[in-house]
Amino acid sequence: MLTIAALYHFTRFPDPAALRGPLLQACLEGGVKGSLLLAREGINGTIAGPRAGIDAVLAHIRALPGCAGLVWKESFADSMPFGRMKVKLKAEIVTMGQPDVDPLAAVGHYVSPADWNALIAAPDVAVIDTRNDYEVSLGTFRGAVDPGTRSFREFPAWWEANRERFHNKRIAMFCTGGIRCEKSTNYLLSQGVTEVFHLQGGILKYLEDMPAEQSLWDGECYVFDGRVSVGHGLVPGQNSSCGGCRRPVKPEGRAHPDYEEGVCCAACVNEYSETDRARFRERHRQMLLAAKRGTTHLGG
């Protein structure tokens, strides 16, 4: 059984490049794989590995400047959901493209999973899903507004075009683990919205804490690793990932005539050339061969 830790923390890193090498080394020494992003505004990512390795990496991160209060969410898997370990330097740990947004200055009111149902059921509350369209397609909260954005960068423009829809409404926002809402709630506060709330710990914490029979969540939650999606109790879901575009594919999508395992799905069948599809087929063939040998193909 492997431990999966999803984490983020906003803090000031004057020189994130200096942190990259030691952090990567700590991950490799602990047998940990996944992806971590470092920027001047903090750290974000998901990692997986043996219990001792995860504990060692988390201890390393908590020792970084301003990270003593790091909070993370854990789940478990029988097999490694990542092919390698990556520690990348980025301009933002979650890209919104708004230089004046600063979650360290102010954010919305945190709402625990236990109190979330009552909030979003209130008639004067508008619930907004801040995730991308392909994530929302797998599941969302009942009655939530889907902005239909392809990336988080599009959210400010969407809000500007739709803000009048939410006049005199309290705004409740949610995302996978909470990080996007740190920025989106700060952004709405800067736009003059006075009552802004967000789900503490994100969808993952809600699905971990909320019994299915009391839940207002429909579907599964997309996650950025080999599990593709999880349900209540953070149990891995039934969805897979397209080998071409990497969009999630539901079980019924795998039965679609345009679906080809490892190559394309109905959403991307016309997005790639035959040369691209031939390359995807070869990559998929190599992945199957690696699986037979009991190894992991890093292109997967």
Side-chain angles (χ1 to χ4, degrees):
M1 183 66 68
L2 298 172
T3 300
I4 302 170
L7 61 96
Y8 73 86
H9 192 75
F10 284 97
T11 187
R12 306 293 187 199
F13 287 152
D15 186 9
L19 307 178
R20 180 183 179 276
L23 178 57
L24 178 59
Q25 186 62 32
C27 293
L28 296 177
E29 289 178 354
V32 170
K33 297 181 181 180
S35 178
L36 292 171
L37 306 180
L38 290 169
R40 290 185 178 274
E41 66 181 10
I43 185 170
N44 176 33
T46 305
I47 54 176
R51 177 79 264 174
I54 292 293
D55 287 344
V57 173
L58 293 174
H60 181 98
I61 295 173
R62 290 199 302 272
L64 297 178
C67 290
L70 175 75
V71 176
W72 65 93
K73 289 170 286 296
E74 290 188 358
S75 54
F76 304 92
D78 294 327
S79 59
M80 173 57 73
F82 298 105
R84 68 187 86 182
M85 184 66 227
K86 297 177 287 186
V87 179
K88 296 182 178 181
L89 300 176
K90 294 285 187 177
E92 299 178 72
I93 56 174
V94 58
T95 304
M96 194 180 197
Q98 298 289 314
D100 294 331
V101 165
D102 182 9
L104 291 175
V107 295
H109 301 289
Y110 292 107
V111 180
S112 70
D115 296 328
W116 182 250
N117 286 0
L119 173 68
I120 67 174
D124 66 332
V125 171
V127 187
I128 301 177
D129 194 330
T130 66
R131 300 171 302 151
N132 300 332
D133 52 6
Y134 64 89
E135 300 171 75
V136 180
S137 70
L138 294 187
T140 191
F141 283 104
R142 294 170 202 166
V145 175
D146 173 15
T149 51
R150 293 173 296 176
S151 74
F152 192 42
R153 279 183 177 273
E154 297 179 1
F155 183 83
W158 175 84
W159 172 258
E160 185 60 32
N162 291 272
R163 61 187 305 159
E164 292 306 317
R165 294 169 53 187
F166 307 104
H167 182 63
N168 289 333
K169 291 283 190 179
R170 293 186 290 160
I171 304 297
M173 311 176 85
F174 64 92
C175 58
T176 306
I179 186 170
R180 292 184 205 182
C181 291
E182 301 281 354
K183 286 194 169 183
S184 62
T185 58
N186 177 268
Y187 175 76
L188 259 61
L189 290 170
S190 75
Q191 298 299 301
V193 183
T194 57
E195 291 194 83
V196 186
F197 305 84
H198 54 130
L199 178 57
Q200 189 168 27
I203 301 163
L204 295 180
K205 187 61 176 172
Y206 182 91
L207 293 179
E208 181 181 9
D209 290 356
M210 184 61 60
E213 60 272 15
Q214 300 175 27
S215 176
L216 297 181
W217 175 266
D218 290 327
E220 296 180 354
C221 177
Y222 181 85
V223 290
F224 297 86
D225 59 57
R227 296 172 297 170
V228 182
S229 64
V230 296
H232 281 90
L234 303 183
V235 175
Q238 301 299 311
N239 300 288
S240 59
S241 180
C242 174
C245 66
R246 302 302 188 187
R247 295 182 180 98
V249 182
K250 296 180 179 180
E252 56 268 30
R254 295 194 290 273
H256 193 280
D258 287 333
Y259 177 76
E260 182 179 347
E261 185 178 1
V263 179
C264 63
C265 65
C268 73
V269 65
N270 295 316
E271 293 181 359
Y272 297 102
S273 67
E274 186 54 42
T275 300
D276 291 328
R277 286 194 288 271
R279 178 164 50 86
F280 298 158
R281 289 187 186 100
E282 177 58 23
R283 180 185 61 194
H284 184 60
R285 189 181 73 86
Q286 293 296 330
M287 290 171 60
L288 293 177
L289 290 173
K292 287 183 179 180
R293 294 192 298 266
T295 60
T296 301
H297 185 265
L298 296 182

